[in-house]
Amino acid sequence: MIHFIGGGQMVEAIIRAILANETVRKDEITVADISKQRNTYLTETYQVTAGVEQAVALKQADFIVIGVRPQDDLASVGAKIREHGRKDAVVVSIVAGVTMEKLASLIGEERAIARVIPNTLTDTGFGYSGVSLNRYATEDQVDDFLNGFGKVMYVEERLIDIFTGFGVAGPNYVYYFIESFADAGVLAGLSREQAWKIVLENILGSVEMLKLTGKHPRQLLDINNSAGGVGINALHELNSSDFAAGLQRSVLKAVKRTTELGLE
Ligand SMILES: NC(=O)c1ccc[n+]([C@@H]2O[C@H](COP(=O)([O-])OP(=O)(O)OC[C@H]3O[C@@H](n4cnc5c(N)ncnc54)[C@H](OP(=O)(O)O)[C@@H]3O)[C@@H](O)[C@H]2O)c1
């Protein structure tokens, strides 16, 4: 049984993905959100058991997922788990910025804890979730569950904020690039629809080329850039812009903000 404490946006995305991937059955999922309305919505939409008595569900759960926000009453959530959660259950926290040390102090030492930063591409099967385990948890215990909502990358806890600002925020950078690229097509004279189709195909095809050939992007650029041609002229303009450094600063800022939020 998997019990979710909190049934907000991220928990819903996880439930939708694990049901679609048939990682678990509907009758193996319980949810306890403080909002009655939210529980009703989750029950009606996914036919899971939402709105359960916390103590009862905690006693049955093999996985206890803490899905509330960092600013919610984590102390009372921790106390409930400490009191009612089975000692052999794995506690999976998706709460951004809350450290393993803090979690252990709330739910009790000597419990298996997985600190997970879920990706936001859960519906696609793409995207890595970042996962740190404490010494009581093993990859074997959590692998199947976590792979139900994306791919899994195990990282040391000290890398979790970097993983968040770089990896989990990753689709944002890509969306922004796609938007800017499509705008460039429109600026040059294509219709929005034409530009959009070309951009999406280029993105998918370029990723596929990198995977297929195993080549470094620079090698593929070299192949595409003939002497004095279109490609190298376009690249020259990008090279003289702030493109690479701007993107890199943006990632560093996201990492910094992740750490700041954890301290607030
Ligand atoms: N969204 C993302 O992309 C994302 C990505 C990675 C990690 N996360 C993490 O996922 C967690 C949830 O984020 P979210 O975006 O899903 O937030 P959310 O939609 O606000 O979900 C949190 C839910 O928990 C409920 N809640 C609050 N206190 C509770 C309690 N004591 N017991 C039971 N339920 C309680 C809230 O109800 P009320 O609204 O009525 O208070 C709300 O429905 C956060 O810790 C966040 O750091 C989110």
Side-chain angles (χ1 to χ4, degrees):
M1 293 293 290
I2 301 176
H3 178 57
F4 292 89
I5 302 177
Q9 297 310 314
M10 197 65 237
V11 163
E12 181 180 355
I14 292 174
I15 290 175
R16 193 166 55 236
I18 57 179
L19 288 178
N21 293 328
E22 298 181 355
T23 309
V24 288
R25 298 189 313 264
K26 293 168 182 171
D27 61 2
E28 293 174 317
I29 297 176
T30 56
V31 186
D33 194 279
I34 42 171
S35 151
K36 195 168 170 239
Q37 210 180 357
R38 192 71 193 153
N39 287 322
T40 307
Y41 165 78
L42 291 171
T43 304
E44 283 174 359
T45 312
Y46 302 100
Q47 290 82 51
V48 297
T49 313
V52 282
E53 179 66 39
Q54 198 79 275
V56 176
L58 280 169
K59 285 193 181 95
Q60 298 171 348
D62 305 292
F63 290 93
I64 300 165
V65 182
I66 308 180
V68 300
R69 291 157 302 205
Q71 66 271 28
D72 291 330
D73 189 357
L74 269 175
S76 85
V77 169
K80 284 254 164 56
I81 296 174
R82 189 192 280 265
E83 190 181 350
H84 303 290
R86 288 202 335 247
K87 286 282 185 294
D88 63 342
V90 182
V91 177
V92 177
S93 166
I94 63 166
V95 190
V98 177
T99 63
M100 207 76 96
E101 193 184 358
K102 172 86 177 162
L103 289 166
S105 78
L106 295 172
I107 65 172
E109 308 290 335
E110 300 186 16
R111 278 183 182 275
I113 302 176
R115 188 177 161 200
V116 179
I117 303 298
N119 70 83
T120 55
L121 300 171
T122 42
D123 288 320
T124 67
F126 288 104
Y128 280 103
S129 297
V131 182
S132 287
L133 302 176
N134 74 352
R135 65 195 173 100
Y136 301 104
T138 66
E139 292 182 14
D140 279 353
Q141 278 176 303
V142 293
D143 237 10
D144 285 348
F145 170 51
L146 298 179
N147 275 293
F149 52 94
K151 299 185 170 69
V152 176
M153 190 175 285
Y154 292 98
V155 294
E156 291 170 52
E157 193 177 20
R158 68 181 179 84
L159 297 178
I160 280 277
D161 287 355
I162 298 174
F163 188 93
T164 307
F166 177 67
V168 176
N172 294 351
Y173 310 120
V174 179
Y175 295 144
Y176 187 81
F177 173 77
I178 288 174
E179 186 194 22
S180 311
F181 193 15
D183 279 353
V186 177
L187 186 66
L190 294 175
S191 72
R192 173 68 54 190
E193 196 193 350
Q194 287 168 327
W196 187 243
K197 279 186 177 166
I198 293 168
V199 167
L200 288 191
E201 206 62 20
N202 273 337
I203 298 275
L204 288 170
S206 306
V207 172
E208 210 47 44
M209 271 299 274
L210 288 166
K211 283 187 174 170
L212 208 69
T213 61
K215 286 187 166 42
H216 188 280
R218 178 58 54 186
Q219 289 173 290
L220 294 175
L221 279 169
D222 277 351
I223 295 168
N224 284 355
N225 291 338
S226 58
V230 173
I232 195 71
N233 269 282
L235 208 61
H236 172 70
E237 201 58 39
L238 264 187
N239 281 343
S240 10
S241 77
D242 195 36
F243 182 74
L247 177 61
Q248 289 152 13
R249 275 200 310 276
S250 154
V251 169
L252 294 184
K253 174 83 183 191
V255 172
K256 184 166 172 270
R257 187 65 190 136
T258 306
T259 308
E260 281 170 7
L261 286 173
L263 297 173
E264 277 172 13

